Amino acid sequence: MNTVPLQLVTIISESVVEQKLIADIKACGAKGYSVGHVHGEGVTGKHALDLNGPSIRLETVVTEKVAQAILDMLSAKYFNKYATIAWMTPAQVTRPDRF
Amino acid sequence: MNTVPLQLVTIISESVVEQKLIADIKACGAKGYSVGHVHGEGVTGKHALDLNGPSIRLETVVTEKVAQAILDMLSAKYFNKYATIAWMTPAQVTRPDRF
Amino acid sequence: MNTVPLQLVTIISESVVEQKLIADIKACGAKGYSVGHVHGEGVTGKHALDLNGPSIRLETVVTEKVAQAILDMLSAKYFNKYATIAWMTPAQVTRPDRF
Amino acid sequence: MFAASIMDNLLTAPVIAFLVALIATLFRFDVRLPESLYPIISTFLLLAIGLKGGRALAAASLADLWKPLIVSIILGIVTPLIAFTLFRFAGRLSVINASALAAHYGSVSAVTFTVLLTTLEAREITYEGYMTGLLAILEIIGIVVALFLARGATEGSDWKSALSEVVRGKSIALLGIGIVIGYVVGPTRLAPTDPVFVGLFAGALTLFLIELGVIAAERLRDIKSAGPVVVLLGILVPLTNGFLGALGGAAVGLSTGGVAVMAVLAGSASYIAAPAAVRIALPQASPGLYVTASLGITFPFNLTVGIPLYIAMAQALT
Amino acid sequence: MFAASIMDNLLTAPVIAFLVALIATLFRFDVRLPESLYPIISTFLLLAIGLKGGRALAAASLADLWKPLIVSIILGIVTPLIAFTLFRFAGRLSVINASALAAHYGSVSAVTFTVLLTTLEAREITYEGYMTGLLAILEIIGIVVALFLARGATEGSDWKSALSEVVRGKSIALLGIGIVIGYVVGPTRLAPTDPVFVGLFAGALTLFLIELGVIAAERLRDIKSAGPVVVLLGILVPLTNGFLGALGGAAVGLSTGGVAVMAVLAGSASYIAAPAAVRIALPQASPGLYVTASLGITFPFNLTVGIPLYIAMAQALT
Amino acid sequence: MFAASIMDNLLTAPVIAFLVALIATLFRFDVRLPESLYPIISTFLLLAIGLKGGRALAAASLADLWKPLIVSIILGIVTPLIAFTLFRFAGRLSVINASALAAHYGSVSAVTFTVLLTTLEAREITYEGYMTGLLAILEIIGIVVALFLARGATEGSDWKSALSEVVRGKSIALLGIGIVIGYVVGPTRLAPTDPVFVGLFAGALTLFLIELGVIAAERLRDIKSAGPVVVLLGILVPLTNGFLGALGGAAVGLSTGGVAVMAVLAGSASYIAAPAAVRIALPQASPGLYVTASLGITFPFNLTVGIPLYIAMAQALT
Ligand SMILES: Nc1ncnc2c1ncn2[C@@H]1O[C@H](COP(=O)(O)O)[C@@H](O)[C@H]1O
Ligand SMILES: Nc1ncnc2c1ncn2[C@@H]1O[C@H](COP(=O)(O)O)[C@@H](O)[C@H]1O
Ligand SMILES: Nc1ncnc2c1ncn2[C@@H]1O[C@H](COP(=O)(O)O)[C@@H](O)[C@H]1O
Ligand code: NA
Ligand code: NA
Ligand code: NA
């Protein structure tokens, strides 16, 4: 089966921004996403007190261009305000039209 | 420590197929897997009503050949029937005999 | 936005070692981590009975050097004692000073 | 007086919880329950219903039981056939989709069932306790018959394994072990667990209906695409099946409450066991169709208008 | 006698649970509750408080209600202003941070509120049942006023959307549907759900306070960096607001219990709804400051010294 | 009469739930509880047991307490030694594995303990309330002694840190704060939390045993590889320890119920605290061995045959 290279963008952020973040990555061009829950530690410390539980881990498989747009959007709107971290991993998929 | 290149295959699917999917990836040659839970959105819409909660996120580190077999199997048995998405990422491991 | 190549190390282990493992990866130089929960199967079998639930899935984005240190540490202290598995994936990040 | 009966039923905590959550969701308020609560509550409800049924079966004699049992089995065969026929020919759906819907309408909604019991108890109408035991039987038969209908249209060889997966699947298995535990332990020795499995039931049901209200609100958008015939059948099929159930119950001499229960067993549509079963056995069927019909149309209809109607039928027939 | 009253309040299960968990955590014992329990319990508490309030409002007449309601609204405007002024000028914080703190002190701590009710009931001091209904109103107004204060210092256009996000957010929405369901269903028909929403309340609160004790212990480290003025204001602000609340309650002729409740409504600081709201609307504000002040200082102060003090105020004023 | 006593014990809800879930799992029915429920229920059980014990200790006088306390401490030292000796020399296991098993048999199964109490209450045999307080003490001592046995065979320097990790670990810490909270708050002020920590106990235990039944079924496969000697010792060790416990209890003049409790404290094997402790402190030991022995063999043995036997011993000795 032929696969096509795309980018997997993984974002860890505060659960309080979940809805806002989903809207923002869609605006960047993401056609789908998956959200799980994690707890962790980074430079801003441990645990965030929130009704929805600790932190969200959102991942979205997108084209290189959309991935760049998401990283730019995160820099502008999230990195300096919310305990947020993101990384990008190369990913191969079949059915590239889906992403 | 020497590492060996393998493939990490990540599959998001409906929780109702968990047992079936595990059997199927084992049949393709996977020697291990991990399953977590996520919710998300894709072309088939949001949220699936199910007793086991929203969706499963299965990941398995396998050889290139097994990875291809899993993608083929997903194309044949899952992609057109269940809300399923999958991607493949290069992964380095120590102890290659385990995978 | 310029991105810098780093390594994403993912570790699956028994939830009973969570605190110990976090201390150990920090000692190797990790500046942050995220922990989620999974269940799975590998060569040591299925499911571990534990008050904290099945298994932990820890991921940490680190430099190549720290990644190697973590893999070495896992080999020395975890692989032969706990149901543990780990892999390393290339990851691109912005803000490399954070990792 | 029927209007009063509707109000009476409408104003119970679970029904209002469902409606308020549905409306709040439409106005974009976030009233969704924590993700981990949904499987916990549904597990709890299935076990509690099973225990209640098993305990009641332990108390019933076979002499009381055999006639209602046969009626249940007949209903379990007839109601999915009626649903299939109406959805296939009046609704012009494919065999697969009609079978999927048949599985839902042949099976039972444990929540609708429980709301009925709450209403009966509030209005002090007695019913045969062993009826809960029949729930599990009907729940399974209806699904099996429907899957059988679809057999021709699916890859034949998988049919048996799909069936066994369904029967061993979580919802039927939990209901099943609840019945067995309740039956073996019996009412007296179960008493220490009553604060959990009896005491918490109404509250847990109310929480569950908040979540169902949220899901139903999200499904409302799908109604348009489902089309007016599906909406109409989503009301017609439960009414027809409910009426048959009431007739069957009356025929074997059940009490007024018992007849109403039989009507709800026949007239309600499953949205826990059946969707999971259909997803496994008939993956080509469209969830947008069957979840919308069963949870988005039939469930609110039964909750608000159906239950008082089935009680009225029961009162007319006994 | 006041010392006895402090002991009396201190020795309730929730307060001791909070302190024991806090101390155990400082000594590095792992008493954190399972991760999935925190959202479940907070959801439960919000719904249960809402149901209690809605049910009480259903029983109250508008003639009883309108005066306390007006006092609540005035307190909802005045208390965040006082908090803002003190933190901005005595505490020398930025507009953003002072507004963030104002949102917390203008809003209400549902847990402090509930511990007070438990204490009042233990000491057989009656209070007006509809006070729980006022909780939700104050919870919202205080936050809105505080966000309004910060309006100038934030990107203006986002203000309205932030506000609507806050009001639709989980904690206010759950409280809100609880009130509506409780009001519509009414006390009698809610009875079957009492074993859950009434019976489990004190136990769930105790579990919740174990978790809050753990979080408070983790926050203690931040107190040093917050500085002594914030610690001082974390005690002074609730005392001032609580006193105003007591005065307001006495002015409209509430009972002793009712005056104490009004004092706690005004004097307590939110740490469920407000942090979420502030995080969304004022992301530049420092959580290390506002969570520490509200959960690390004011909450334990109110729990141990504040509540008996507010009761003493109420007794002096009525 | 002994057969009747076995039946009596067997037919309680928790025991039947265990057996039914075990059998259902063997027949591949999916009756596993939702993943998030297991940590919630075990947390709840530990806290509830702790509260019960602390409350009982608050009511007991030191004069009553000191003798049973000394017996508990002696049993906490002797029972792991016996287990170690038998598994090491009769079972021919390595020092590490024998120590791991000693930690399990030296510690206590809170669930077996609770099922005994349920049975005693059902048969109206009274026991000393403060015995629950001894549970926590025995739970800890047994593990410490066993880890000490393995000290030579492990990397020495880690021993102390492993020990402190174990004592601060979730299960002992939760039990501990439960005891402290229960002791400080006392029976009267704990009353509002009774619907949760007392009322829900039997039901929660039943749910927990469904999950344990599933796990035990999965472990049954390991029994073959564990070998017949381990199976035999999995029955012999609890009998020996249980008999010693009964003797000890009788020696200090406990009531019939109290002697039976002491027998179960000594004779039961831990499968919550001990596996976690052993996993940390003795990672080289084989879980396939100790979880299988303690949960797969000893637990069902105690649940079905052991408990009636210990009661019979107690009746013979008092
Ligand atoms: N581009 C994507 N990236 C990450 N997850 C996705 C993506 N698209 C879909 N998913 C996940 O896969 C599930 C099924 O997708 P779909 O079949 O497109 O409805 C969704 O509910 C998401 O959890
Ligand atoms: N190939 C694999 N891919 C992904 N996860 C794995 C794999 N093998 C093992 N695991 C995970 O690691 C845990 C321990 O594995 P093991 O030590 O092989 O028993 C399992 O329970 C799985 O959750
Ligand atoms: N290096 C890292 N690797 C993986 N996750 C991280 C890392 N650093 C931070 N995180 C996650 O991102 C969250 C916020 O990080 P921070 O903004 O640095 O406090 C933390 O709570 C972690 O869950
Ligand atoms: Na039906
Ligand atoms: Na306030
Ligand atoms: Na023991």
Side-chain angles (χ1 to χ4, degrees), chain F residues 79 104-108 265-269:
Chain F
T79 57
H104 287 73
Y105 287 89
S107 184
V108 184
L265 286 178
S268 65

Side-chain angles (χ1 to χ4, degrees), chain D residues 6-86:
Chain D
I6 287 197
M7 278 323 280
D8 231 50
N9 184 61
L10 207 61
L11 284 174
T12 56
V15 177
I16 293 296
F18 177 80
L19 296 175
V20 169
L22 193 154
I23 294 167
T25 305
L26 292 179
F27 283 97
R28 301 189 172 281
F29 286 88
D30 180 8
V31 298
R32 169 144 268 163
L33 299 184
E35 222 161 88
S36 51
L37 201 53
Y38 182 76
I40 290 177
I41 295 189
S42 50
T43 299
F44 169 78
L45 293 177
L46 288 166
L47 276 174
I49 292 172
L51 285 171
K52 191 174 183 176
R55 172 204 305 228
L57 287 177
S61 74
L62 210 93
D64 299 335
L65 213 60
W66 72 270
K67 279 196 220 155
L69 191 67
I70 288 179
V71 170
S72 294
I73 293 172
I74 295 176
L75 287 170
I77 297 169
V78 172
T79 58
L81 287 176
I82 289 177
F84 179 85
T85 312
L86 284 170

Side-chain angles (χ1 to χ4, degrees), chain E residues 37-48:
Chain E
L37 201 53
Y38 181 77
I40 291 177
I41 295 190
S42 50
T43 299
F44 170 78
L45 292 177
L46 287 167
L47 276 175

Side-chain angles (χ1 to χ4, degrees), chain D residues 135-146:
Chain D
L135 177 102
I137 295 161
L138 247 167
E139 176 127 35
I140 302 170
I141 299 180
I143 294 177
V144 172
V145 170

Side-chain angles (χ1 to χ4, degrees), chain E residues 15 17 24 44 46 69 81 86 126 141 159 172 183 188 240-241 264 275 277 285 288 291 316:
Chain E
V15 177
F44 170 78
L46 287 167
L69 189 68
L81 287 175
L86 286 170
T126 54
I141 298 181
W159 190 72
I172 290 178
Y183 186 86
T188 321
T240 314
N241 285 347
V264 161
V291 178

Side-chain angles (χ1 to χ4, degrees), chain F residues 14-307:
Chain F
V15 177
I16 293 297
F18 178 81
L19 296 176
V20 170
L22 194 154
I23 294 167
T25 305
L26 291 179
F27 283 97
R28 299 188 176 282
F29 287 87
D30 179 7
V31 299
R32 169 143 266 163
L33 299 185
E35 222 161 88
S36 52
L37 201 53
Y38 180 77
I40 291 177
I41 294 189
S42 50
T43 299
F44 169 79
L45 292 177
L46 288 167
L47 276 175
I49 291 170
L51 284 171
K52 190 174 184 176
R55 172 203 305 230
L57 287 178
S61 74
L62 210 94
D64 299 335
L65 212 59
W66 72 270
K67 277 196 220 158
L69 190 67
I70 288 180
V71 169
S72 295
I73 294 172
I74 296 175
L75 288 171
I77 296 169
V78 171
T79 57
L81 287 176
I82 290 178
F84 179 85
T85 313
L86 285 170
F87 280 109
R88 177 88 183 92
F89 299 107
R92 296 174 173 276
L93 299 180
S94 69
V95 171
I96 294 283
N97 276 328
S99 306
L101 280 153
H104 287 73
Y105 287 89
S107 184
V108 184
S109 158
V111 176
T112 311
F113 175 82
T114 312
V115 172
L116 171 73
L117 296 197
T118 313
T119 304
L120 288 179
E121 277 152 26
R123 292 174 57 185
E124 294 179 3
I125 303 175
T126 55
Y127 57 91
E128 287 75 9
Y130 55 73
M131 303 294 291
T132 315
L134 302 180
L135 175 102
I137 295 161
L138 248 167
E139 176 128 34
I140 301 171
I141 299 180
I143 294 177
V144 173
V145 170
L147 296 191
F148 190 82
L149 290 172
R151 203 181 40 157
T154 56
E155 305 98 273
S157 69
D158 273 354
W159 190 74
K160 266 194 194 151
S161 80
L163 192 67
S164 106
E165 257 184 273
V166 163
V167 172
R168 290 190 166 88
K170 231 170 200 142
S171 55
I172 290 178
L174 286 173
L175 202 57
I177 67 163
I179 292 180
V180 173
I181 295 171
Y183 185 86
V184 173
V185 178
T188 321
R189 289 172 210 265
L190 273 177
T193 66
D194 282 353
V196 169
F197 295 111
V198 179
L200 304 187
F201 197 86
L205 190 65
T206 303
L207 284 171
F208 193 68
L209 282 171
I210 290 178
E211 185 71 14
L212 287 187
V214 173
I215 297 171
E218 289 172 355
R219 285 284 161 188
L220 279 189
R221 297 163 208 153
D222 293 348
I223 287 191
K224 226 178 284 172
S225 63
V229 186
V230 169
V231 176
L232 209 75
L233 291 177
I235 292 171
L236 201 65
V237 171
L239 281 180
T240 315
N241 285 347
F243 184 59
L244 283 182
L247 282 184
V252 293
L254 292 179
S255 66
T256 305
V259 171
V261 173
M262 204 57 115
V264 161
L265 286 178
S268 65
S270 161
Y271 40 83
I272 299 183
V278 164
R279 209 66 198 102
I280 288 190
L282 306 174
Q284 312 92 317
S286 154
L289 215 54
Y290 54 75
V291 178
T292 304
S294 120
L295 185 64
I297 300 162
T298 303
F299 178 63
F301 169 75
N302 272 335
L303 225 50
T304 51
V305 181
I307 286 179

Side-chain angles (χ1 to χ4, degrees), chain B residues 14-20 37-39 44 46-55 77 80-83, chain D residues 32 35 38-39 42-43 46 155 165 170-171 174 212 215 218-219 271-272 275-276 279-280 283 291 295:
Chain B
E14 303 177 26
S15 54
V16 91
V17 300
E18 179 171 340
Q19 297 312 322
K20 193 205 285 270
H37 294 277
V38 293
H39 59 268
T44 64
K46 217 171 178 173
H47 195 82
L49 179 63
D50 185 84
L51 197 62
N52 303 305
S55 304
K77 295 171 71 171
N80 58 334
K81 289 185 190 164
Y82 301 102
Chain D
R32 169 144 268 163
E35 222 161 88
Y38 182 76
S42 50
T43 299
L46 288 166
E155 305 98 275
E165 258 185 89
K170 227 165 206 147
S171 53
L174 286 172
L212 288 187
I215 297 171
E218 290 172 354
R219 285 285 160 186
Y271 41 83
I272 299 182
R279 209 66 198 103
I280 289 191
V291 178
L295 184 65

